Each structure stands twice: as C-alpha cells, then as structure tokens.
Amino acid sequence: MAEIGKTKLDSGWLAARSTDVELTGTQLTTTHPPTGPTAPWMEAVVPGTVLATLVKNKKVPDPFYGLQNEAILDIAISGREYYTFWFFTTFQCKLTGNQHLDLNFRGINYSAEVYLNGHKMVLPKGMFRRHSLDVTDILHPDGQNLLAVLVHPPDHPGSIPPKGGQGGDHEIGKDVATQYVEGWDWIIPIRDRNTGIWDEVSVSVTGPVKIIDPHLVSSFFDNYKRVYLHATTELENKSSSVAECSLNIQVSTELEGNVCLI
Amino acid sequence: EQLQTQHLSISPRARVQYTFPQLFFYKPNLWWPNGMGKQALHHVTISVEVKEHGESDQWTHLFGFRKIESHIDNATDGRLFKINGQPIFIRGGNWILSDGLLRLSAKRYRTDIKFHADMNFNMIRCWGGGLAERPEFYHYCDMYGLLVWQEFWITGDVDGRGDPVSNPDGPLDHDLFMLCARDTVKLLRNHASLALWVGGNEQVPPKDINEALKNDLQLHPYFETPSET
C-alpha cells in the first residue's frame, strides 16, 4: 500500500531542446525513454527554468556576470522553438485497492503537454495556476512510471528595443506571466522569459476521498479573548461508491522547544 | 488544544464543500508582526478517514490567529494598518524575486526573509512585475513576522502607462487572469503574514478584472464582526 501524502519530484530530471529530439512524447514514455544525460539530453533544474538548466550545464554563460547576458540568444531572435524544451523523469509508485494518485504542477511557464507512460495530457496556458492530474488509471503495473513534459514559452515573449527600457516592448503584458523578464531599469532581459517547470512538481497518494484547498479564517471577540477558528474545505470522492467519512480537525500549539500541547 | 470529528457521506464521484462547526479558543497565543510580539503559530491538521478504507487524505498548515485591518487615512491619504486592534508603523521593503532564473529554494527564502526581519522590517511588498510569491516565501514570512503586500501581475509600464503606451486593457485573456488570480488566492490565503492583495504596480487593473478581484477578495460579511464584545 503506497503511503498517503505528497512526494516531490525534484531530482533525476533530464532536459533537451525540443528541436533536437526526433521522438514523440509517447515514444519517450514507452519504447524510447532517454537513458541519461547524453546529448541531446542534459541534467535539468526542476523546479527552475530552461535557462537555469542551460547555465547549470554550461551551455550558456551565467547571465548575471559582467556582460555575459549579451552572449545568450534572446528568444525574440531565436524564436520560441529554441526555448521549447522537453523535461523527463521517472517515478516509482504502486497503488493498492481504492488508492488514487494525482500528478501536481504548482507552476508552469507558460503551457505544456504532459506524457505519462504513453498517455498525453495538456496543461493549459498561464504562469500562475496549479495543475493537478488524476493519473491513477495510467500508472504502470510494475510501479515504474515514465514522465515527459514539453514546456512552451509565453505566447508573447516580445523583443528588446535597442534602448532597453522598462518591460522591453511590453508584449509580455499580453500574457498572464511575470513581466520583469523583458528587462527593467534594475535587471537585464531574461533570454528565455523564465520558461520552464518553475515551481514544485509532486505526486500525491490519497484514498477514495481527497481534501482540496482548505480555507482557515479566525474571528475575534471580547478584545481577542474569545476566538473562533472557521474551517472550510472541498472534498472529492473519486470512487464509484458512497464514501462514509470521518472528518477530523486538530489544532495543536507548539510550546517552547519541541513540546506539543494537543 | 482542539480536536473535532464530523461524519459525512459523499456521493460517488462528487465534489463537495464542507464547513466545520467553528472551534472556540480562549485567549490563544496571537500572531504578531516582527517587533510587536511573538509569531505564535498553531499546527492545524485536517484529515479524512473513509469507512472500510482507513485514512484517505491529510492536510496540515501552520496557522496564526491574527486580525489585520487597513484603511486609507483621510488626513494623510496613506494606508493605515492595525494588527489585532493595535496600530502599526509599517517599515517595509520592495521584493521582486529571489533569483532571475527562478532557482527558488526554501533555504534562500529563509535567508532573505530573516535578513529583512533583522533589518527591523515588518512588511515586504511583492512587486506586480515579479511573481505571486510561493508558499515557502510566505512560510518564512509567517515565521519571522513579515507582513506581505502581494500585487497581481499588472504594472504601469507594461499596462497602459509606459513608453510606448501598450496593453491599455491589460492581458489579452481576462478570464485566464482571473483563473490564475483565484488559484493563487487559494494557494496563499491561509498564511498569517498575507496582509494585502493589490491589483498592480502604479496602475489599476482593467475595470472588469479590478471589479472581479475586489468582489472575490472582500471579507465575507460573516466575518465582519467588531472585536468588541
């Protein structure tokens, strides 16, 4: 039985420029998975951006030293394909009985296609949105799962006028993404516009019922002597039968040191 | 300090919203910003067990009991803040982001945020051209008592007041903007340090977005209760 809870997928990732990979996502996650950091594949920084991966592998100089950023091809010149990258990893997971597995991306810039064991799913556009995919039915029976993610840059990366300026030509403002990336008076233009799996990737195991986005609010009376905690949560029953649930809420406070009062 | 169990049935493939009966606390340790008191945090754990299956899911969060109020002061036209009924003089700094290649790490956040606390700051303003900061950022702001002013992704320069004037109506897809904003609020709303959501930097978001944000973010009338008896 897999343990209930979240496991981060933050190691063992590989990356490759999409134009250097002939294979499809289905082939990468079934018959032809990359075997290691051999060209065109390289060790990837996840969470991080395409440029962070390229800097780590010394494919480009570190943009934050001297004028080295000038040596890195800007997306406006190279085109979006040049910074459209594959990211690949594997993870182990064997569910039992009525367990479910979600694959979670807490931030993708700017859109992506996900392939898991040959199955394709789309992560829609938007840098500041989470994605959670129920992958229970497409896990590998032997527990070894192959995951590939094709990440596309923002739709409007814009171009940097010769005189620079706040936010370049402002095209990035057409997307829902961070705007500093075209450069500002305090920072150089970021050549890949922060494209990538920029925040946490995880898998979470649950039983038939999943807790979603609880909301905690406190209200105060009698000059903060009488305090109430209000808790609301969404719950999803993923199973095909009625779920008889016991829902617990527990509040404990940490006394000095590691003593807990419940 | 509190443990409560409720029973409920959920239909197959259904997604429901459930509110616990409110939990009462007598004089709990309150969360205070840096320089005003301790940052008391409580472990809140919500778990669900399913009959004939056992434990199904669990969620935990470090929660701070605090009341944050702010209003525009007519005399100075500045925004005045109160924490737990006490006025506070805001000493804040601008924050753009931890690293230009988004190599964000809890260790780096802890160092950066502790630095702000050591500088005797009590607020960090997350600029609209940067990021909606991450839970790890807010966790350390909770721990060190840094209130957070979090802007959404609108800046004057890029959205209608720059040179050249561009995007006067903000991003092309307003529904996508609101979807991202709502999801970001759900991601961050339980953090004690989150003090203020702001539409953008030096610019009011397009009217429809601004109205939707104001509507979604107003305090629920249920909680508009005076703290007096």
Side-chain angles (χ1 to χ4, degrees):
Chain A
M1 189 156 176
E3 190 179 336
I4 297 289
K6 179 175 87 171
T7 305
K8 288 183 189 175
L9 304 184
D10 57 2
S11 61
W13 284 87
L14 298 172
R17 178 164 282 125
S18 59
T19 48
D20 297 341
V21 176
E22 307 293 327
L23 299 163
T24 66
T26 302
Q27 291 168 316
L28 288 172
T29 57
T30 50
T31 52
H32 295 75
T35 52
T38 47
W41 294 92
M42 63 191 94
E43 280 184 28
V45 178
V46 173
T49 62
V50 167
L51 206 48
T53 288
L54 295 173
V55 169
K56 172 190 172 75
N57 290 277
K58 301 191 180 358
K59 304 288 186 186
V60 295
D62 188 322
F64 298 132
Y65 286 93
L67 293 177
Q68 297 188 148
N69 195 49
E70 296 305 304
I72 304 173
L73 202 50
D74 189 90
I75 192 171
I77 299 159
S78 67
R80 294 176 66 248
E81 309 70 39
Y82 188 73
Y83 285 110
T84 300
F85 263 62
W86 280 108
F87 291 86
F88 178 89
T89 192
T90 65
F91 65 89
Q92 188 72 28
C93 180
K94 262 174 99 79
L95 300 179
T96 55
N98 207 347
Q99 287 188 319
H100 294 256
L101 187 81
D102 279 346
L103 172 59
N104 311 301
F105 294 89
R106 214 169 65 178
I108 290 274
N109 193 19
Y110 184 64
S111 62
E113 289 134 51
V114 173
Y115 293 82
L116 181 63
N117 302 328
H119 298 265
K120 175 182 175 181
M121 294 158 279
V122 172
L123 302 185
K125 300 172 181 177
M127 179 176 180
F128 299 106
R129 65 188 288 179
R130 296 168 291 172
H131 307 272
S132 190
L133 306 167
D134 186 335
V135 295
T136 310
D137 299 333
I138 54 178
L139 293 177
H140 236 283
D142 67 5
Q144 180 68 5
N145 298 285
L146 308 181
L147 170 63
V149 187
L150 182 61
V151 183
H152 301 276
D155 292 347
H156 301 86
S159 64
I160 317 304
K163 65 178 173 45
Q166 318 266 75
D169 64 1
H170 305 158
E171 277 299 287
I172 194 75
K174 289 180 168 51
D175 297 333
V176 184
T178 182
Q179 295 186 354
Y180 83 94
V181 289
E182 279 206 57
W184 221 268
D185 51 3
W186 47 270
I187 191 164
I188 49 175
I190 307 293
R191 297 304 187 198
D192 70 346
R193 306 295 187 265
N194 277 171
T195 299
I197 304 176
W198 71 279
D199 199 1
E200 184 184 280
V201 185
S202 64
V203 287
S204 37
V205 177
T206 67
V209 174
K210 173 185 173 185
I211 294 170
I212 303 168
D213 287 335
H215 187 194
L216 305 176
V217 181
S218 40
S219 56
F220 304 87
F221 302 86
D222 303 346
N223 204 17
Y224 298 87
K225 292 192 186 66
R226 183 160 52 98
V227 175
Y228 294 99
L229 175 64
H230 311 263
T232 297
T233 183
E234 287 196 79
L235 296 156
E236 182 181 7
N237 177 4
K238 294 170 168 247
S239 73
S240 52
S241 47
V242 173
E244 297 297 341
C245 305
S246 295
L247 204 49
N248 310 296
I249 181 167
Q250 176 178 316
V251 181
S252 60
T253 181
E254 210 150 60
L255 299 179
E256 300 309 319
N258 286 325
V259 177
C260 249
L261 171 73
I262 288 186
Chain B
E1 287 181 59
Q2 277 283 359
L3 177 59
Q4 191 190 98
T5 298
Q6 299 296 330
H7 298 284
L8 74 156
S9 291
I10 307 179
S11 311
R13 310 258 184 249
R15 183 164 169 157
V16 301
Q17 192 169 74
Y18 179 80
T19 297
F20 284 91
Q22 59 193 27
L23 294 177
F24 168 63
F25 294 82
Y26 177 68
K27 288 178 73 175
N29 295 327
L30 299 180
W31 184 90
W32 293 94
N34 185 33
M36 279 183 92
K38 285 198 168 187
Q39 290 76 46
L41 293 168
H42 293 68
H43 293 271
V44 178
T45 301
I46 295 177
S47 60
V48 57
E49 282 147 31
V50 177
K51 199 172 169 186
E52 292 161 22
H53 176 86
E55 186 180 34
S56 184
D57 201 1
Q58 186 184 84
W59 174 87
T60 60
H61 185 74
L62 274 177
F63 180 77
F65 287 105
R66 79 333 179 220
K67 181 169 188 174
I68 297 177
E69 301 159 273
S70 74
H71 68 280
I72 300 296
D73 173 47
N74 297 326
T76 64
D77 210 20
R79 184 173 284 272
L80 292 185
F81 286 83
K82 272 187 178 180
I83 310 294
N84 302 329
Q86 304 300 318
I88 175 176
F89 179 78
I90 294 295
R91 300 181 301 280
N94 270 324
W95 174 278
I96 296 182
L97 75 174
S98 188
D99 174 74
L101 303 186
L102 304 191
R103 296 165 293 197
L104 311 173
S105 73
K107 185 164 177 266
R108 172 92 182 251
Y109 276 135
R110 181 180 181 281
T111 306
D112 285 344
I113 289 157
K114 185 176 184 307
F115 176 53
H116 282 72
D118 294 346
M119 289 189 287
N120 199 24
F121 281 8
N122 54 28
M123 180 175 274
I124 292 182
R125 172 249 182 153
C126 294
W127 174 64
L131 304 173
E133 267 304 348
R134 300 291 88 191
E136 291 75 17
F137 172 91
Y138 279 86
H139 169 71
Y140 287 109
C141 288
D142 294 347
M143 299 284 282
Y144 289 110
L146 271 303
L147 297 163
V148 182
W149 157 320
Q150 174 67 65
E151 292 179 5
F152 287 106
W153 321 291
I154 294 282
T155 64
D157 289 284
V158 172
D159 297 295
R161 292 175 52 190
D163 168 23
V165 172
S166 40
N167 309 316
D169 196 31
L172 297 178
D173 188 336
H174 289 194
D175 293 338
L176 176 60
F177 186 100
M178 283 312 299
L179 185 150
C180 287
R182 287 179 177 124
D183 197 58
T184 297
V185 168
K186 285 186 174 179
L187 179 67
L188 302 174
R189 63 188 172 182
N190 293 318
H191 285 280
S193 52
L194 177 59
L196 191 68
W197 291 103
V198 179
N201 160 67
E202 297 167 354
Q203 178 60 296
V204 178
K207 191 168 183 317
D208 59 321
I209 288 181
N210 205 38
E211 291 310 316
L213 287 173
K214 280 184 172 179
N215 179 60
D216 287 12
L217 289 167
Q218 63 188 329
L219 184 64
H220 190 283
Y222 177 77
F223 300 111
E224 279 288 6
T225 48
S227 39
E228 288 71 38
T229 306

